[in-house]
Structures are given as C-alpha cells and as structure tokens.
Amino acid sequence: MLNIYPVRAFKDNYIWVIHNQHYAAIVDPGSATPVLAYLQQQKLQPIAILNTHHHNDHTGGNVTLLQSYTMPVYGPANENIPELTHGLKESDVVHLSELSLDLAVLDIPGHTAGHIAYYGGKSLFCGDTLFACGCGRIFEGTAQQMYASLQKLASLPDETLVYCTHEYTLSNIRFASAIDASNPALAQRVIEVEEQRKHDIPTLPSILAIEKATNPFLRCNQSAIIHAANQHSRKILSDPVSVFTEIRKWKDTF
C-alpha cells in the first residue's frame, strides 16, 4: 500500500513523498533538508525525483538530494530543471516499478511555459496549476493556456485526489466566497477548512469533485461566476476564457 506524505518546506510548500515500506518518490523537492530527515526517519530509499516545473521552490533540493542518493530526475523537457535526466511531455509515462505505480504525464502550461502534471493511482500531482479552490498565477503562459490546462485536469475522474504544492486553501476560499457567495458546497467547505487550519492540519489532498463544485476557476461557465466577473469588469464577458481571465486578474489584487 502506498502512502503520500506532505513534507513541509518554507512558508507553505508541501513536498509530496510517495512511498511504501521501503522506497520513495519525491515530488517537487524545493528544499532537501526536510526530505532527507523524513527519508532517514522512515528508513526509505528514494528512487526518483519528480519535478512539475522549474521554479526554485520546487527544484531547489535536487542537487543536494543527489549528493546523498543516486536516482533519476524527471521533469518537463522544455524547462531548465537541475540535474534533469528524463525530460517529459504529454503522453509519456513514468514507471516506478518499486512502488508498482505508473504516472501519466500531462502538459499543463500557464503558470510556466512547460509545466507538467503526473497522474496515476487516482492521484494527481499538479504543482502550481490547480490549487484547492484556486489556481496558480500566470507567469509565462497565457490565460487561454491556463484555462485549457485547468479544463484538462477537470476532465479527470471525480474521485481523483489533488496533490498541489502550496497551502493556499484558506485564502483561496475567501476569494471564492466573495464571488460565489450563494454556493452551499462552498459555504460548507469554508467551515471545514477553517477548522483544519485552526489545528494546523493540511487541507490537501483535495478531491476533484469538490473542486468542480467550489473552485471558481473551474466554474467559469456558471452564472454566478459570470455575473461576478461582469460586475467586476463592468462589461459583458460572454465566453469562459474571458471570465477566467477577469477573475484571475481579480484574485491577484484581492
């Protein structure tokens, strides 16, 4: 049986360690120190580093981890990933035989130009693209790319567990509540998340079905979100990409 453990780093990063009793794969190790401590505590042998994109808070631990262990480094083929050994693109599959796990690769540009996600075992490792009740900032791609990437992720099965890499859920929910105040599923989620954070419990992983019911960036074709975007922009936005673009800008200044 696999465990997926959130190793905390920096202010709000989670480094996901996928492991059984003996072996581990490390997703987006921005810092090596807490990962090394967890591996040693659990007596785990790491077999792979899986990077979703090039930002240092996701790759900064690669070099130091490789000073202690020999293993492949997977990541997007079109980004500068430290110590990359296996460049990946859409439809590639990462075989982690020691964990009996295959992860399909999805291209999800927007946050960065070459951002990828890993999906397998009903779990999605999506870096900084889809967040719990939110989505990442658009740094290198376009709003249209980001919207398409989110739609691609939303098409996965409802029971998919969403392992993003930042504890942003509470602030995301506050924004979502401001523009989707009449959503009962969102109101319930506010209560649950506030309780979790009060006790310093991670709000992740999320469940994709809950994201589709509460995440405004996945609901740009819904009347409440369209109305909020129109009110904020003071013009008529008729298509989902325009609505997405408006609420993404709004979130940046919220």
Side-chain angles (χ1 to χ4, degrees):
M1 176 168 172
L2 290 182
N3 296 297
I4 304 176
Y5 183 80
V7 173
R8 301 187 189 206
F10 311 120
K11 180 184 176 183
D12 50 38
N13 282 66
Y14 291 131
I15 301 166
W16 297 106
V17 180
I18 311 165
H19 69 90
N20 56 22
Q21 289 183 306
H22 305 290
Y23 300 102
I26 306 156
V27 182
D28 282 343
S31 174
T33 302
V35 176
L36 290 168
Y38 185 73
L39 294 173
Q40 291 160 10
Q41 176 194 1
Q42 300 295 318
K43 298 181 172 58
L44 297 171
Q45 174 68 37
I47 57 165
I49 291 172
L50 306 169
N51 293 126
T52 61
H53 64 291
H54 67 82
H55 287 161
N56 190 64
D57 66 322
H58 295 253
T59 64
N62 286 13
V63 172
T64 302
L65 286 167
L66 293 172
Q67 291 171 354
S68 297
Y69 300 100
T70 300
M71 57 183 149
V73 176
Y74 298 89
N78 296 323
E79 293 196 355
N80 184 20
I81 304 295
E83 306 295 332
L84 181 72
T85 61
H86 293 68
L88 303 170
K89 61 186 185 304
E90 178 95 18
S91 78
D92 286 338
V93 177
V94 177
H95 302 283
L96 301 173
S97 58
E98 295 93 338
L99 299 176
S100 299
L101 178 65
D102 287 344
L103 294 171
V105 176
L106 304 172
D107 286 336
I108 50 169
H111 181 68
T112 65
H115 201 304
I116 62 173
Y118 302 89
Y119 171 70
K122 296 183 180 178
S123 298
L124 172 68
F125 301 91
C126 53
D128 285 356
T129 298
L130 174 63
F131 288 133
C133 216
C135 74
R137 292 176 182 264
I138 301 167
F139 289 125
E140 298 172 10
T142 65
Q144 190 160 4
Q145 283 179 315
M146 189 66 152
Y147 179 77
S149 294
L150 291 169
Q151 288 298 298
K152 182 185 291 187
L153 298 182
S155 72
L156 295 171
D158 280 356
E159 65 270 19
T160 300
L161 296 174
V162 179
Y163 293 89
C164 52
T165 44
H166 289 279
E167 183 57 73
Y168 291 162
T169 313
L170 191 55
S171 64
N172 287 343
I173 279 181
R174 287 171 179 157
F175 174 72
S177 298
I179 69 173
D180 195 14
S182 61
N183 184 337
L186 183 57
Q188 179 60 35
R189 194 173 187 187
V190 170
I191 295 168
E192 294 168 358
V193 167
E194 286 181 342
E195 185 68 15
Q196 287 172 308
R197 295 312 298 150
K198 186 166 68 175
H199 298 286
D200 198 30
I201 297 169
T203 60
L204 303 170
S206 179
I207 300 170
L208 191 56
I210 293 174
E211 293 308 316
K212 292 199 275 192
T214 61
N215 188 326
F217 298 101
L218 301 184
R219 292 167 47 78
C220 294
N221 61 346
Q222 299 296 307
S223 58
I225 309 303
I226 295 169
H227 177 72
N230 287 342
Q231 291 287 101
H232 188 258
S233 67
R234 298 183 180 179
K235 54 189 176 185
I236 302 300
L237 304 172
S238 56
D239 66 285
V241 174
S242 297
V243 172
F244 171 80
T245 302
E246 181 64 27
I247 65 171
R248 179 60 267 186
K249 290 179 188 173
W250 186 0
K251 176 67 163 62
D252 289 341
T253 59
F254 184 74

mmCIF file of all heavy atoms in Angstrom, residues 59-100:
data_model
loop_
_atom_site.group_PDB
_atom_site.id
_atom_site.type_symbol
_atom_site.label_atom_id
_atom_site.label_comp_id
_atom_site.label_asym_id
_atom_site.label_seq_id
_atom_site.Cartn_x
_atom_site.Cartn_y
_atom_site.Cartn_z
ATOM 1 N N THR A 59 12.374 22.853 -7.153
ATOM 2 C CA THR A 59 13.548 22.122 -7.654
ATOM 3 C C THR A 59 14.810 22.365 -6.839
ATOM 4 O O THR A 59 15.823 21.715 -7.066
ATOM 5 C CB THR A 59 13.856 22.530 -9.111
ATOM 6 O OG1 THR A 59 14.211 23.924 -9.135
ATOM 7 C CG2 THR A 59 12.666 22.293 -10.023
ATOM 8 N N GLY A 60 14.764 23.284 -5.880
ATOM 9 C CA GLY A 60 15.971 23.714 -5.185
ATOM 10 C C GLY A 60 16.684 22.635 -4.383
ATOM 11 O O GLY A 60 17.861 22.769 -4.056
ATOM 12 N N GLY A 61 15.977 21.535 -4.085
ATOM 13 C CA GLY A 61 16.598 20.455 -3.326
ATOM 14 C C GLY A 61 17.206 19.357 -4.180
ATOM 15 O O GLY A 61 17.848 18.438 -3.648
ATOM 16 N N ASN A 62 17.045 19.435 -5.493
ATOM 17 C CA ASN A 62 17.504 18.346 -6.364
ATOM 18 C C ASN A 62 18.982 18.029 -6.169
ATOM 19 O O ASN A 62 19.366 16.874 -5.958
ATOM 20 C CB ASN A 62 17.268 18.702 -7.842
ATOM 21 C CG ASN A 62 15.815 18.620 -8.269
ATOM 22 O OD1 ASN A 62 14.916 18.529 -7.439
ATOM 23 N ND2 ASN A 62 15.577 18.681 -9.565
ATOM 24 N N VAL A 63 19.820 19.051 -6.275
ATOM 25 C CA VAL A 63 21.273 18.836 -6.249
ATOM 26 C C VAL A 63 21.706 18.215 -4.930
ATOM 27 O O VAL A 63 22.477 17.242 -4.893
ATOM 28 C CB VAL A 63 22.005 20.159 -6.512
ATOM 29 C CG1 VAL A 63 23.512 19.989 -6.292
ATOM 30 C CG2 VAL A 63 21.739 20.648 -7.934
ATOM 31 N N THR A 64 21.212 18.735 -3.817
ATOM 32 C CA THR A 64 21.617 18.217 -2.505
ATOM 33 C C THR A 64 21.126 16.793 -2.289
ATOM 34 O O THR A 64 21.847 15.950 -1.733
ATOM 35 C CB THR A 64 21.093 19.139 -1.389
ATOM 36 O OG1 THR A 64 21.603 20.458 -1.602
ATOM 37 C CG2 THR A 64 21.526 18.649 -0.017
ATOM 38 N N LEU A 65 19.917 16.480 -2.730
ATOM 39 C CA LEU A 65 19.422 15.107 -2.605
ATOM 40 C C LEU A 65 20.299 14.134 -3.385
ATOM 41 O O LEU A 65 20.573 13.014 -2.923
ATOM 42 C CB LEU A 65 17.974 15.025 -3.098
ATOM 43 C CG LEU A 65 16.916 15.619 -2.163
ATOM 44 C CD1 LEU A 65 15.583 15.764 -2.881
ATOM 45 C CD2 LEU A 65 16.754 14.762 -0.909
ATOM 46 N N LEU A 66 20.766 14.572 -4.545
ATOM 47 C CA LEU A 66 21.604 13.685 -5.369
ATOM 48 C C LEU A 66 23.017 13.540 -4.821
ATOM 49 O O LEU A 66 23.750 12.645 -5.245
ATOM 50 C CB LEU A 66 21.638 14.207 -6.809
ATOM 51 C CG LEU A 66 20.300 14.122 -7.544
ATOM 52 C CD1 LEU A 66 20.371 14.843 -8.880
ATOM 53 C CD2 LEU A 66 19.866 12.679 -7.750
ATOM 54 N N GLN A 67 23.402 14.378 -3.887
ATOM 55 C CA GLN A 67 24.679 14.188 -3.195
ATOM 56 C C GLN A 67 24.612 13.036 -2.196
ATOM 57 O O GLN A 67 25.624 12.436 -1.841
ATOM 58 C CB GLN A 67 25.091 15.483 -2.484
ATOM 59 C CG GLN A 67 25.471 16.607 -3.434
ATOM 60 C CD GLN A 67 25.663 17.943 -2.743
ATOM 61 O OE1 GLN A 67 25.409 18.075 -1.538
ATOM 62 N NE2 GLN A 67 26.099 18.948 -3.489
ATOM 63 N N SER A 68 23.378 12.712 -1.772
ATOM 64 C CA SER A 68 23.186 11.620 -0.815
ATOM 65 C C SER A 68 22.674 10.345 -1.457
ATOM 66 O O SER A 68 22.920 9.245 -0.943
ATOM 67 C CB SER A 68 22.199 12.051 0.278
ATOM 68 O OG SER A 68 22.706 13.141 1.021
ATOM 69 N N TYR A 69 21.956 10.465 -2.568
ATOM 70 C CA TYR A 69 21.335 9.303 -3.209
ATOM 71 C C TYR A 69 21.497 9.407 -4.727
ATOM 72 O O TYR A 69 21.484 10.508 -5.287
ATOM 73 C CB TYR A 69 19.842 9.232 -2.885
ATOM 74 C CG TYR A 69 19.506 9.115 -1.416
ATOM 75 C CD1 TYR A 69 19.114 10.236 -0.683
ATOM 76 C CD2 TYR A 69 19.574 7.891 -0.766
ATOM 77 C CE1 TYR A 69 18.788 10.131 0.659
ATOM 78 C CE2 TYR A 69 19.255 7.774 0.583
ATOM 79 C CZ TYR A 69 18.863 8.897 1.293
ATOM 80 O OH TYR A 69 18.546 8.795 2.623
ATOM 81 N N THR A 70 21.590 8.250 -5.374
ATOM 82 C CA THR A 70 21.604 8.188 -6.830
ATOM 83 C C THR A 70 20.218 7.794 -7.317
ATOM 84 O O THR A 70 19.687 6.755 -6.912
ATOM 85 C CB THR A 70 22.634 7.159 -7.328
ATOM 86 O OG1 THR A 70 23.930 7.547 -6.863
ATOM 87 C CG2 THR A 70 22.651 7.080 -8.843
ATOM 88 N N MET A 71 19.640 8.640 -8.174
ATOM 89 C CA MET A 71 18.290 8.356 -8.686
ATOM 90 C C MET A 71 18.035 9.239 -9.890
ATOM 91 O O MET A 71 18.675 10.279 -10.071
ATOM 92 C CB MET A 71 17.230 8.596 -7.600
ATOM 93 C CG MET A 71 17.249 9.998 -7.029
ATOM 94 S SD MET A 71 16.061 10.222 -5.685
ATOM 95 C CE MET A 71 16.921 11.443 -4.683
ATOM 96 N N PRO A 72 17.075 8.862 -10.732
ATOM 97 C CA PRO A 72 16.721 9.700 -11.877
ATOM 98 C C PRO A 72 15.932 10.930 -11.447
ATOM 99 O O PRO A 72 15.246 10.921 -10.419
ATOM 100 C CB PRO A 72 15.873 8.772 -12.745
ATOM 101 C CG PRO A 72 15.299 7.776 -11.790
ATOM 102 C CD PRO A 72 16.336 7.577 -10.723
ATOM 103 N N VAL A 73 16.036 11.972 -12.264
ATOM 104 C CA VAL A 73 15.261 13.201 -12.059
ATOM 105 C C VAL A 73 14.369 13.398 -13.276
ATOM 106 O O VAL A 73 14.851 13.550 -14.402
ATOM 107 C CB VAL A 73 16.182 14.424 -11.872
ATOM 108 C CG1 VAL A 73 15.352 15.702 -11.752
ATOM 109 C CG2 VAL A 73 17.078 14.236 -10.654
ATOM 110 N N TYR A 74 13.061 13.367 -13.044
ATOM 111 C CA TYR A 74 12.068 13.565 -14.095
ATOM 112 C C TYR A 74 11.543 14.991 -14.034
ATOM 113 O O TYR A 74 11.412 15.574 -12.955
ATOM 114 C CB TYR A 74 10.901 12.601 -13.916
ATOM 115 C CG TYR A 74 11.260 11.140 -14.018
ATOM 116 C CD1 TYR A 74 11.662 10.410 -12.900
ATOM 117 C CD2 TYR A 74 11.184 10.479 -15.238
ATOM 118 C CE1 TYR A 74 11.986 9.059 -12.996
ATOM 119 C CE2 TYR A 74 11.500 9.130 -15.348
ATOM 120 C CZ TYR A 74 11.902 8.429 -14.223
ATOM 121 O OH TYR A 74 12.227 7.096 -14.318
ATOM 122 N N GLY A 75 11.216 15.541 -15.204
ATOM 123 C CA GLY A 75 10.661 16.880 -15.234
ATOM 124 C C GLY A 75 10.313 17.271 -16.654
ATOM 125 O O GLY A 75 10.555 16.512 -17.603
ATOM 126 N N PRO A 76 9.739 18.460 -16.826
ATOM 127 C CA PRO A 76 9.339 18.899 -18.158
ATOM 128 C C PRO A 76 10.541 19.044 -19.089
ATOM 129 O O PRO A 76 11.553 19.650 -18.730
ATOM 130 C CB PRO A 76 8.657 20.246 -17.908
ATOM 131 C CG PRO A 76 9.125 20.680 -16.557
ATOM 132 C CD PRO A 76 9.395 19.440 -15.779
ATOM 133 N N ALA A 77 10.399 18.507 -20.284
ATOM 134 C CA ALA A 77 11.511 18.508 -21.241
ATOM 135 C C ALA A 77 11.905 19.914 -21.662
ATOM 136 O O ALA A 77 13.072 20.156 -21.996
ATOM 137 C CB ALA A 77 11.123 17.685 -22.468
ATOM 138 N N ASN A 78 10.964 20.843 -21.640
ATOM 139 C CA ASN A 78 11.219 22.181 -22.170
ATOM 140 C C ASN A 78 11.520 23.217 -21.097
ATOM 141 O O ASN A 78 11.417 24.417 -21.355
ATOM 142 C CB ASN A 78 10.020 22.641 -23.008
ATOM 143 C CG ASN A 78 9.804 21.766 -24.233
ATOM 144 O OD1 ASN A 78 10.765 21.325 -24.854
ATOM 145 N ND2 ASN A 78 8.553 21.516 -24.561
ATOM 146 N N GLU A 79 11.901 22.758 -19.905
ATOM 147 C CA GLU A 79 12.285 23.692 -18.853
ATOM 148 C C GLU A 79 13.646 23.314 -18.287
ATOM 149 O O GLU A 79 14.097 22.173 -18.401
ATOM 150 C CB GLU A 79 11.226 23.728 -17.739
ATOM 151 C CG GLU A 79 9.907 24.311 -18.213
ATOM 152 C CD GLU A 79 8.976 24.715 -17.086
ATOM 153 O OE1 GLU A 79 9.283 24.466 -15.902
ATOM 154 O OE2 GLU A 79 7.929 25.284 -17.398
ATOM 155 N N ASN A 80 14.284 24.283 -17.655
ATOM 156 C CA ASN A 80 15.626 24.091 -17.099
ATOM 157 C C ASN A 80 15.510 23.533 -15.677
ATOM 158 O O ASN A 80 15.392 24.277 -14.705
ATOM 159 C CB ASN A 80 16.377 25.421 -17.112
ATOM 160 C CG ASN A 80 17.805 25.268 -16.628
ATOM 161 O OD1 ASN A 80 18.358 24.172 -16.623
ATOM 162 N ND2 ASN A 80 18.404 26.374 -16.214
ATOM 163 N N ILE A 81 15.537 22.221 -15.582
ATOM 164 C CA ILE A 81 15.391 21.520 -14.301
ATOM 165 C C ILE A 81 16.779 21.063 -13.832
ATOM 166 O O ILE A 81 17.483 20.366 -14.576
ATOM 167 C CB ILE A 81 14.462 20.294 -14.447
ATOM 168 C CG1 ILE A 81 13.098 20.701 -15.011
ATOM 169 C CG2 ILE A 81 14.322 19.563 -13.104
ATOM 170 C CD1 ILE A 81 12.278 21.601 -14.141
ATOM 171 N N PRO A 82 17.197 21.416 -12.619
ATOM 172 C CA PRO A 82 18.517 20.990 -12.144
ATOM 173 C C PRO A 82 18.670 19.471 -12.152
ATOM 174 O O PRO A 82 17.817 18.754 -11.639
ATOM 175 C CB PRO A 82 18.568 21.533 -10.709
ATOM 176 C CG PRO A 82 17.597 22.661 -10.685
ATOM 177 C CD PRO A 82 16.504 22.278 -11.634
ATOM 178 N N GLU A 83 19.742 19.004 -12.792
ATOM 179 C CA GLU A 83 20.108 17.584 -12.825
ATOM 180 C C GLU A 83 19.088 16.701 -13.546
ATOM 181 O O GLU A 83 19.017 15.489 -13.308
ATOM 182 C CB GLU A 83 20.350 17.046 -11.399
ATOM 183 C CG GLU A 83 21.359 17.831 -10.590
ATOM 184 C CD GLU A 83 22.771 17.752 -11.166
ATOM 185 O OE1 GLU A 83 23.096 16.740 -11.817
ATOM 186 O OE2 GLU A 83 23.535 18.723 -10.958
ATOM 187 N N LEU A 84 18.304 17.285 -14.430
ATOM 188 C CA LEU A 84 17.289 16.514 -15.162
ATOM 189 C C LEU A 84 17.926 15.358 -15.936
ATOM 190 O O LEU A 84 18.898 15.544 -16.656
ATOM 191 C CB LEU A 84 16.550 17.434 -16.137
ATOM 192 C CG LEU A 84 15.429 16.806 -16.965
ATOM 193 C CD1 LEU A 84 14.228 16.508 -16.075
ATOM 194 C CD2 LEU A 84 15.026 17.737 -18.107
ATOM 195 N N THR A 85 17.355 14.164 -15.781
ATOM 196 C CA THR A 85 17.809 13.003 -16.556
ATOM 197 C C THR A 85 16.751 12.513 -17.535
ATOM 198 O O THR A 85 17.080 11.892 -18.543
ATOM 199 C CB THR A 85 18.192 11.832 -15.626
ATOM 200 O OG1 THR A 85 17.040 11.439 -14.861
ATOM 201 C CG2 THR A 85 19.326 12.222 -14.683
ATOM 202 N N HIS A 86 15.473 12.783 -17.249
ATOM 203 C CA HIS A 86 14.382 12.307 -18.094
ATOM 204 C C HIS A 86 13.422 13.457 -18.378
ATOM 205 O O HIS A 86 12.585 13.806 -17.535
ATOM 206 C CB HIS A 86 13.617 11.161 -17.419
ATOM 207 C CG HIS A 86 14.414 9.902 -17.249
ATOM 208 N ND1 HIS A 86 15.487 9.810 -16.377
ATOM 209 C CD2 HIS A 86 14.293 8.685 -17.843
ATOM 210 C CE1 HIS A 86 15.984 8.582 -16.437
ATOM 211 N NE2 HIS A 86 15.287 7.887 -17.319
ATOM 212 N N GLY A 87 13.562 14.070 -19.567
ATOM 213 C CA GLY A 87 12.650 15.127 -19.972
ATOM 214 C C GLY A 87 11.332 14.546 -20.452
ATOM 215 O O GLY A 87 11.309 13.606 -21.251
ATOM 216 N N LEU A 88 10.230 15.102 -19.971
ATOM 217 C CA LEU A 88 8.915 14.515 -20.208
ATOM 218 C C LEU A 88 7.988 15.458 -20.952
ATOM 219 O O LEU A 88 8.112 16.680 -20.852
ATOM 220 C CB LEU A 88 8.267 14.146 -18.871
ATOM 221 C CG LEU A 88 9.051 13.186 -17.971
ATOM 222 C CD1 LEU A 88 8.402 13.105 -16.599
ATOM 223 C CD2 LEU A 88 9.156 11.804 -18.612
ATOM 224 N N LYS A 89 7.029 14.859 -21.648
ATOM 225 C CA LYS A 89 5.983 15.611 -22.340
ATOM 226 C C LYS A 89 4.694 14.806 -22.287
ATOM 227 O O LYS A 89 4.688 13.647 -21.836
ATOM 228 C CB LYS A 89 6.390 15.894 -23.787
ATOM 229 C CG LYS A 89 6.622 14.646 -24.624
ATOM 230 C CD LYS A 89 7.150 14.996 -25.993
ATOM 231 C CE LYS A 89 7.270 13.756 -26.882
ATOM 232 N NZ LYS A 89 8.096 12.684 -26.310
ATOM 233 N N GLU A 90 3.627 15.437 -22.763
ATOM 234 C CA GLU A 90 2.301 14.808 -22.778
ATOM 235 C C GLU A 90 2.351 13.385 -23.329
ATOM 236 O O GLU A 90 3.010 13.129 -24.345
ATOM 237 C CB GLU A 90 1.359 15.649 -23.642
ATOM 238 C CG GLU A 90 -0.036 15.094 -23.786
ATOM 239 C CD GLU A 90 -1.029 15.671 -22.793
ATOM 240 O OE1 GLU A 90 -0.753 16.732 -22.220
ATOM 241 O OE2 GLU A 90 -2.091 15.064 -22.610
ATOM 242 N N SER A 91 1.672 12.486 -22.653
ATOM 243 C CA SER A 91 1.507 11.061 -23.001
ATOM 244 C C SER A 91 2.694 10.188 -22.623
ATOM 245 O O SER A 91 2.624 8.968 -22.758
ATOM 246 C CB SER A 91 1.153 10.851 -24.482
ATOM 247 O OG SER A 91 2.297 10.968 -25.316
ATOM 248 N N ASP A 92 3.797 10.779 -22.132
ATOM 249 C CA ASP A 92 4.840 9.941 -21.541
ATOM 250 C C ASP A 92 4.303 9.296 -20.262
ATOM 251 O O ASP A 92 3.360 9.799 -19.639
ATOM 252 C CB ASP A 92 6.081 10.768 -21.201
ATOM 253 C CG ASP A 92 6.885 11.156 -22.423
ATOM 254 O OD1 ASP A 92 6.748 10.478 -23.463
ATOM 255 O OD2 ASP A 92 7.663 12.131 -22.342
ATOM 256 N N VAL A 93 4.914 8.195 -19.869
ATOM 257 C CA VAL A 93 4.539 7.508 -18.638
ATOM 258 C C VAL A 93 5.798 7.240 -17.826
ATOM 259 O O VAL A 93 6.805 6.744 -18.362
ATOM 260 C CB VAL A 93 3.801 6.179 -18.920
ATOM 261 C CG1 VAL A 93 3.482 5.456 -17.608
ATOM 262 C CG2 VAL A 93 2.519 6.430 -19.707
ATOM 263 N N VAL A 94 5.750 7.572 -16.547
ATOM 264 C CA VAL A 94 6.850 7.287 -15.624
ATOM 265 C C VAL A 94 6.526 5.985 -14.905
ATOM 266 O O VAL A 94 5.508 5.892 -14.212
ATOM 267 C CB VAL A 94 7.046 8.431 -14.609
ATOM 268 C CG1 VAL A 94 8.157 8.077 -13.623
ATOM 269 C CG2 VAL A 94 7.343 9.747 -15.325
ATOM 270 N N HIS A 95 7.393 4.995 -15.094
ATOM 271 C CA HIS A 95 7.199 3.684 -14.456
ATOM 272 C C HIS A 95 8.024 3.637 -13.169
ATOM 273 O O HIS A 95 9.263 3.659 -13.222
ATOM 274 C CB HIS A 95 7.624 2.556 -15.397
ATOM 275 C CG HIS A 95 6.900 2.533 -16.708
ATOM 276 N ND1 HIS A 95 5.610 2.059 -16.831
ATOM 277 C CD2 HIS A 95 7.286 2.941 -17.939
ATOM 278 C CE1 HIS A 95 5.225 2.171 -18.092
ATOM 279 N NE2 HIS A 95 6.214 2.702 -18.786
ATOM 280 N N LEU A 96 7.354 3.563 -12.042
ATOM 281 C CA LEU A 96 8.030 3.438 -10.748
ATOM 282 C C LEU A 96 7.776 2.020 -10.242
ATOM 283 O O LEU A 96 6.859 1.760 -9.470
ATOM 284 C CB LEU A 96 7.493 4.492 -9.768
ATOM 285 C CG LEU A 96 7.667 5.952 -10.214
ATOM 286 C CD1 LEU A 96 6.949 6.888 -9.261
ATOM 287 C CD2 LEU A 96 9.144 6.316 -10.318
ATOM 288 N N SER A 97 8.597 1.095 -10.737
ATOM 289 C CA SER A 97 8.327 -0.321 -10.502
ATOM 290 C C SER A 97 8.400 -0.683 -9.023
ATOM 291 O O SER A 97 7.629 -1.523 -8.549
ATOM 292 C CB SER A 97 9.302 -1.188 -11.311
ATOM 293 O OG SER A 97 10.637 -0.887 -10.984
ATOM 294 N N GLU A 98 9.314 -0.038 -8.273
ATOM 295 C CA GLU A 98 9.440 -0.358 -6.850
ATOM 296 C C GLU A 98 8.181 0.010 -6.066
ATOM 297 O O GLU A 98 7.917 -0.550 -4.992
ATOM 298 C CB GLU A 98 10.643 0.371 -6.236
ATOM 299 C CG GLU A 98 11.985 -0.062 -6.793
ATOM 300 C CD GLU A 98 12.437 0.810 -7.973
ATOM 301 O OE1 GLU A 98 11.545 1.457 -8.603
ATOM 302 O OE2 GLU A 98 13.642 0.850 -8.252
ATOM 303 N N LEU A 99 7.403 0.950 -6.608
ATOM 304 C CA LEU A 99 6.160 1.359 -5.966
ATOM 305 C C LEU A 99 4.927 0.782 -6.660
ATOM 306 O O LEU A 99 3.794 1.066 -6.257
ATOM 307 C CB LEU A 99 6.048 2.889 -5.959
ATOM 308 C CG LEU A 99 7.147 3.652 -5.213
ATOM 309 C CD1 LEU A 99 6.958 5.156 -5.377
ATOM 310 C CD2 LEU A 99 7.187 3.269 -3.742
ATOM 311 N N SER A 100 5.155 -0.006 -7.712
ATOM 312 C CA SER A 100 4.055 -0.552 -8.529
ATOM 313 C C SER A 100 3.118 0.570 -8.974
ATOM 314 O O SER A 100 1.885 0.458 -8.901
ATOM 315 C CB SER A 100 3.272 -1.619 -7.754
ATOM 316 O OG SER A 100 4.113 -2.686 -7.411
#
